[in-house]
Amino acid sequence: MEQKQYKFMRENTFLEVHCIDLIEKMQDANVSKLAKAFQVTRGAISKVTKGLIETGAIERYQKPDNKKEIYFKLTEVGREIYGEHEKMHQTRIEKDGDFFSPLSEEEKNQLIGMLNKIYGQIAKELKNLGMDNYI
């Protein structure tokens, strides 16, 4: 795969990319909905969305009948990041299919169990380091 497809990963954090992903997929994305989806504080999402607005990946809008609430939508830049992210996932799924297809259901379940344990340990360590935004 050519390097350009991973440009978004060099220029954006994990949380920024996944915030873009959710804004595209979520109807009426706002700070509260995003914070709940990521299980992080509203302050953390406010910081991420502010940065995404500054880089031109998303923009704010309000509904004519609700001037209190602020919502987010992707810009052209954000849609490009979203598209690159989706391509990366699709490529990974295709590559993973070659590995997983010969495994039995029992082998797949054992592998999932091990990966969940590894993820739990990594998440615990990141939380202890104050790096919750990488979980």
Side-chain angles (χ1 to χ4, degrees):
M1 180 176 312
E2 78 181 50
Q3 191 70 8
K4 182 182 181 296
Q5 288 183 319
Y6 295 108
K7 178 182 175 194
F8 75 93
M9 292 173 63
R10 291 189 308 272
E11 297 177 354
N12 299 277
T13 67
F14 178 87
L15 189 55
E16 287 172 338
V17 172
H18 287 92
C19 194
I20 287 169
D21 186 67
L22 265 185
I23 289 170
E24 177 64 17
K25 294 175 180 173
M26 182 182 284
Q27 185 173 351
D28 299 328
N30 62 23
V31 169
S32 296
K33 286 182 177 181
L34 293 169
K36 184 176 181 181
F38 285 114
Q39 297 180 353
V40 299
T41 65
R42 290 170 39 107
I45 294 298
S46 292
K47 184 177 176 181
V48 170
T49 54
K50 181 180 178 187
L52 290 172
I53 290 168
E54 289 173 2
T55 61
I58 66 171
E59 60 187 17
R60 301 163 41 137
Y61 72 93
Q62 293 177 302
K63 294 183 176 185
D65 60 336
N66 182 354
K67 296 294 183 184
K68 179 183 160 196
E69 195 66 51
I70 295 173
Y71 302 96
F72 304 107
K73 64 182 178 179
L74 300 186
T75 63
E76 187 60 36
V77 171
R79 282 189 290 281
E80 286 178 25
I81 294 168
Y82 174 80
E84 289 179 9
H85 183 235
E86 286 295 304
K87 283 182 202 172
M88 184 194 76
H89 276 285
Q90 187 58 41
T91 300
R92 185 77 257 158
I93 288 168
E94 290 167 6
K95 287 181 179 181
D96 290 348
D98 294 340
F99 174 79
F100 289 109
S101 59
L103 298 179
S104 70
E105 285 302 310
E106 182 181 345
E107 290 171 320
K108 289 176 188 176
N109 288 333
Q110 289 173 346
L111 183 57
I112 289 168
M114 286 189 298
L115 291 173
N116 282 333
K117 287 179 183 179
I118 292 168
Y119 172 78
Q121 183 61 34
I122 291 169
K124 182 179 172 183
E125 291 175 19
L126 287 173
K127 189 170 187 169
N128 288 340
L129 292 170
M131 301 172 68
D132 295 19
N133 58 322
Y134 289 101
I135 300 173

